[in-house]
Amino acid sequence: MNLESSQKRQLMLNDFISSFFFDNSEEIFIVLDKELKFKEVNKKFLNLLSFQFEEIQGRMAMEFIHQEDSPRIQQLITSPLDDSKASIVFRFISKEGKFIFLESKFHKVSDFTLIIAEDVTKRKEVQEELRTRNRELEEEKAKFTEILENIGDGIIGINDQGEIIFVNPQVIILLGFNENELLGKMLVQTIKLINDRGSEIPIQQRPVHNALLAKKKVTENKFSYLKKDGKVLPVSITATPIILHELIVGGVVVFRDITREREVDRMKTEFISLASHQLRTPLSAMKWFTELVLDDSENLTEEQRKLIQNVYQSNERMIELVNALLNISRIESGRIIIDPKPTDLALLVKEVIQELQPRVDEKNQHLGVSVIEVLPKINIDPKLIRHVYMNLLTNAIKYTQPGGEIVVVISSTDNEIISQVYDNGYGIPEKQQKQVFEKFFRADNIIKIETDGSGLGLYLTKAIVESSGGKIWFKSESGRGTTFWFSLLRSGSISQKGMVSIDDRMV
C-alpha cells in the first residue's frame, strides 16, 4: 500500500511538472490528434492568438492556418516525419484576423502530432521590411545607374585618398581613356588639368582639392582637361566632398565640355573689342571739340556752358566704359602684357592716393594708409596692380558717404603680401554678394545712390589679380561698410608676352 501511494505521488508530481512546463514555457506547444484536430495547446499559444481553449478544442487546425500554407502542413503531417528536418514557418490566423508566423518543428508521437513552435512574426516583419527596402534600393540604384550612364556630363568618384573609384561612360567619351586606365589611379596624376597658357594646375589649386579641404562644393570654369590624345578639352568643373559623420570619405567631380561656350565668349570678346575700337574715334573727337568749346567759354552763356559741360562729362563716362570694355577684352583674349618689375607697393599706393585726394577732400572723407612692416619690393606689373588699387579705392570713395573713413592696410605672410582696403560706407546686400565679381553687376542699394557706374570694375580687378597669380576676396555688411583683400605671391608674377597694355588710354 505504501509502495502504491508513493508511485501515485510520483506520478502526480510528474504530471504537475509536465503541466507547469507545458503552460509556462516560452515555446508554443500544440497537440493535434490523428484527425488533425486540436487536442491540447499551452497558454503561450492561446495568448498569442487571443483564443480560449474551449473555442478551438476539437476543431480542425487547418481552419486556423493560412490557406497558402495549409497544403505544406498537410503534406508534412501526413508524411513520415524526420525530426531532424521537419521544421517549417507557417501562418496561424489569430482571433482578430492577424497573421502570426510560427517557426515550428513537428514530432509524430503514437496517434498524435506534437508541434513545438516559436513566434517569429516580428522577425518576419523585419525581414519583409528589409526585403522591401532592398527592393526599393535596387530600384533607386537602377535609376541612378541609368542617369549616370546617360547624362551628358562626365562624373568621377574618388575615395578619401583621391583614387578614382567610379567613372561614367561620358568620362570615357570626353577624355578618351578606357575604364581600366582610370580606376584605382590618383585623379590629380592621371587626368591633367591645365590653364589657358597650357601650364598644369598645381594640386593645391585644383577644384577637387579645394572642395575636400573646405568641405564644400567648388565650381570652376577657367581650366581645361588634357585628353589622352593630348588635345585640350575646356571644361566647367563642380567638385563636391562626400561627408559621412563629419568625416570626408570621398568626393565627386562633375565636368562638362564648354568648348562651344568658350568659342561664343571669344566671339563676344572680339565683338566688344571691335565695337569699342570703333567708338574710340568719335568719342575722342567729341572730347577734343567739347574741350575747345569750354576753353572759349567766355563767349558762352551760363546755360550754354552747363550744357556743354554735361556733354563733356557724359562723353568722359562713355570713354571710361569703352576703356573698361577694351581692357576686359584684352585680358580675356590673352593679349594683355604682364611685365613684372621690382615694385614698392607702399609707394605705389601713396601715388594712387595722391591722385585720388581731390575726390576724398571733396567728400570730406578720411583716407589713411598703414604698412605693417618694411616690405621688400615685389616683382609685379606696376601698371596692372596700380589699376587694382585705383579701382578698389575709387569704389571706396564713391560708395562711402561724406565724412566716412577709408583705410588701406598692407601686411605680409611667409609667402604672400596682402593688401586690404576698408571703408565704412554703404556695404553690399548679403543676398547679392555672390554676384560682386560678375560683369555689369551693381548692387541694388548703390544704384539708388550713385547712378554712374558700369559694373565692370570689380570683374576687371579680379581678372588682373588672378592673372598676376594672386587672389581677391571681401567681406561686407549692408549699411556698415566693405573690406576687400587681395594677395600677391612674394615670389612675384609670371611674365606674359602680349600685344597691348591695360593702360592704353584714349587721348
Side-chain angles (χ1 to χ4, degrees):
M1 190 71 179
N2 289 335
L3 180 60
E4 290 180 4
S5 177
S6 175
Q7 289 175 338
K8 285 182 180 179
R9 285 197 300 272
Q10 185 63 43
L11 288 171
M12 289 176 62
L13 179 61
N14 291 342
D15 288 343
F16 174 77
I17 292 172
S18 298
S19 176
F20 181 83
F21 175 75
F22 189 77
D23 282 334
N24 293 280
S25 173
E26 287 299 313
E27 293 184 307
I28 297 165
F29 290 99
I30 305 167
V31 181
L32 305 178
D33 63 20
K34 61 183 178 180
E35 296 178 352
L36 304 183
K37 294 179 180 179
F38 285 109
K39 182 177 180 64
E40 189 65 66
V41 296
N42 67 347
K43 291 180 180 179
K44 179 80 173 180
F45 177 82
L46 294 172
N47 293 337
L48 189 63
L49 274 72
S50 303
F51 283 111
Q52 297 293 325
F53 181 62
E54 293 77 12
E55 295 177 286
I56 64 171
Q57 186 178 21
R59 294 178 63 178
M60 293 293 295
M62 294 304 167
E63 295 179 32
F64 302 89
I65 295 175
H66 193 287
Q67 61 180 4
E68 292 180 2
D69 299 334
S70 294
R72 291 186 299 145
I73 302 300
Q74 186 84 32
Q75 182 181 5
L76 186 66
I77 293 176
T78 56
S79 301
L81 289 176
D82 182 350
D83 286 352
S84 64
K85 297 180 180 178
S87 181
I88 189 172
V89 175
F90 65 95
R91 288 162 288 183
F92 260 108
I93 304 172
S94 72
K95 190 172 183 179
E96 294 85 4
K98 295 180 180 178
F99 296 131
I100 307 298
F101 287 85
L102 298 183
E103 185 173 27
S104 309
K105 198 148 190 177
F106 291 74
H107 304 272
K108 200 172 239 186
V109 182
S110 184
D111 60 350
F112 65 87
T113 300
L114 172 65
I115 302 173
I116 303 175
E118 177 187 0
D119 178 15
V120 293
T121 304
K122 288 184 179 180
R123 187 202 306 169
K124 295 294 288 187
E125 288 174 351
V126 170
Q127 289 173 347
E128 184 60 31
E129 184 178 344
L130 287 174
R131 275 195 294 269
T132 301
R133 182 59 183 152
N134 285 337
R135 186 168 58 252
E136 291 172 352
L137 288 174
E138 287 296 326
E139 290 173 358
E140 288 297 320
K141 181 181 178 181
K143 292 177 186 176
F144 183 64
T145 301
E146 192 70 18
I147 291 171
L148 290 180
E149 289 183 351
N150 291 282
I151 196 170
D153 296 347
I155 302 175
I156 302 172
I158 62 171
N159 61 19
D160 59 344
Q161 301 298 314
E163 296 172 338
I164 300 172
I165 57 174
F166 170 82
V167 292
N168 74 335
Q170 198 65 17
V171 174
I172 310 303
I173 294 169
L174 289 172
L175 299 180
F177 295 95
N178 63 53
E179 196 172 58
N180 292 333
E181 292 173 317
L182 297 175
L183 294 180
K185 307 294 193 307
M186 296 296 293
L187 170 62
V188 296
Q189 295 173 1
T190 308
I191 304 176
K192 305 297 183 183
L193 192 65
I194 61 174
N195 58 25
D196 55 3
R197 295 189 294 274
S199 301
E200 186 172 352
I201 304 301
I203 292 176
Q204 301 89 325
Q205 296 179 26
R206 290 188 66 142
V208 66
H209 176 272
N210 293 333
L212 297 180
L213 191 65
K215 293 186 177 181
K216 64 179 182 180
K217 181 168 69 175
V218 173
T219 301
E220 185 59 75
N221 60 5
K222 298 185 305 181
F223 302 140
S224 300
Y225 276 136
L226 204 59
K227 299 168 65 173
K228 182 180 178 179
D229 60 10
K231 293 180 180 178
V232 173
L233 179 71
V235 289
S236 174
I237 299 172
T238 299
T240 307
I242 299 174
I243 301 173
L244 186 63
H245 304 305
E246 299 184 356
L247 294 175
I248 295 175
V249 296
V252 177
V253 178
V254 180
F255 68 93
R256 63 184 179 87
D257 180 0
I258 58 169
T259 303
R260 179 59 181 163
E261 288 93 326
R262 289 268 182 95
E263 180 63 18
V264 170
D265 282 344
R266 185 190 64 78
M267 293 169 64
K268 287 193 297 184
T269 299
E270 287 182 357
F271 171 77
I272 290 171
S273 178
L274 178 62
S276 300
H277 275 291
Q278 293 300 316
L279 286 171
R280 288 170 69 96
T281 301
L283 288 173
S284 296
M286 287 182 66
K287 177 181 175 73
W288 296 331
F289 291 147
T290 51
E291 285 178 348
L292 285 172
V293 174
L294 288 172
D295 287 344
D296 194 26
S297 60
E298 58 187 33
N299 294 323
L300 301 174
T301 65
E302 183 62 24
E303 184 178 358
Q304 289 172 332
R305 191 187 65 78
K306 286 182 178 179
L307 288 172
I308 298 298
Q309 186 67 41
N310 285 339
V311 171
Y312 179 80
Q313 290 174 351
S314 296
N315 191 67
E316 285 293 301
R317 286 194 290 272
M318 283 298 296
I319 289 173
E320 183 181 340
L321 175 59
V322 167
N323 278 333
L325 290 171
L326 280 171
N327 285 332
I328 287 172
S329 69
R330 289 164 181 164
I331 284 183
E332 290 182 342
S333 65
R335 294 186 297 120
I336 200 73
I337 298 170
I338 300 178
D339 184 19
K341 298 176 182 177
T343 304
D344 185 337
L345 288 182
L347 181 59
L348 185 63
V349 169
K350 288 177 182 178
E351 290 174 356
V352 172
I353 290 175
Q354 187 174 1
E355 186 176 335
L356 294 173
Q357 193 63 48
R359 300 189 193 183
V360 175
D361 295 339
E362 185 181 342
K363 296 185 72 172
N364 195 31
Q365 295 167 333
H366 174 72
L367 199 165
V369 180
S370 175
V371 180
I372 302 300
E373 57 188 85
V374 177
L375 299 174
K377 288 186 177 183
I378 180 173
N379 205 38
I380 48 95
D381 189 320
K383 290 182 180 180
L384 293 177
I385 303 307
R386 175 187 173 84
H387 193 97
V388 173
Y389 283 121
M390 179 66 75
N391 188 70
L392 293 178
L393 284 167
T394 299
N395 281 354
I397 295 166
K398 183 187 290 187
Y399 302 129
T400 298
Q401 58 273 16
E405 182 180 9
I406 301 163
V407 179
V408 181
V409 179
I410 304 177
S411 58
S412 66
T413 64
D414 291 340
N415 301 317
E416 298 175 321
I417 294 180
I418 300 172
S419 298
Q420 172 184 343
V421 178
Y422 159 84
D423 69 65
N424 62 350
Y426 304 118
I428 304 164
E430 184 177 356
K431 65 180 182 180
Q432 293 186 301
Q433 289 183 9
K434 290 183 179 179
Q435 301 169 260
V436 162
F437 294 113
E438 294 179 3
K439 287 181 187 175
F440 306 110
F441 170 75
R442 299 194 73 215
D444 291 341
N445 62 332
I446 294 303
I447 294 175
K448 301 172 185 177
I449 299 169
E450 289 284 347
T451 55
D452 291 341
S454 64
L456 293 170
L458 286 173
Y459 175 84
L460 183 58
T461 297
K462 184 173 186 286
I464 293 172
V465 170
E466 291 182 349
S467 66
S468 301
K471 295 178 289 186
I472 185 168
W473 66 99
F474 73 96
K475 182 178 181 181
S476 184
E477 187 174 347
S478 186
R480 302 196 64 176
T482 304
T483 302
F484 277 90
W485 293 267
F486 73 92
S487 63
L488 298 168
L489 293 173
R490 278 179 173 265
S491 57
S493 303
I494 299 173
S495 176
Q496 177 178 302
K497 293 181 180 180
M499 298 171 61
V500 289
S501 168
I502 202 168
D503 257 353
D504 278 357
R505 295 185 181 182
M506 295 186 344
V507 295

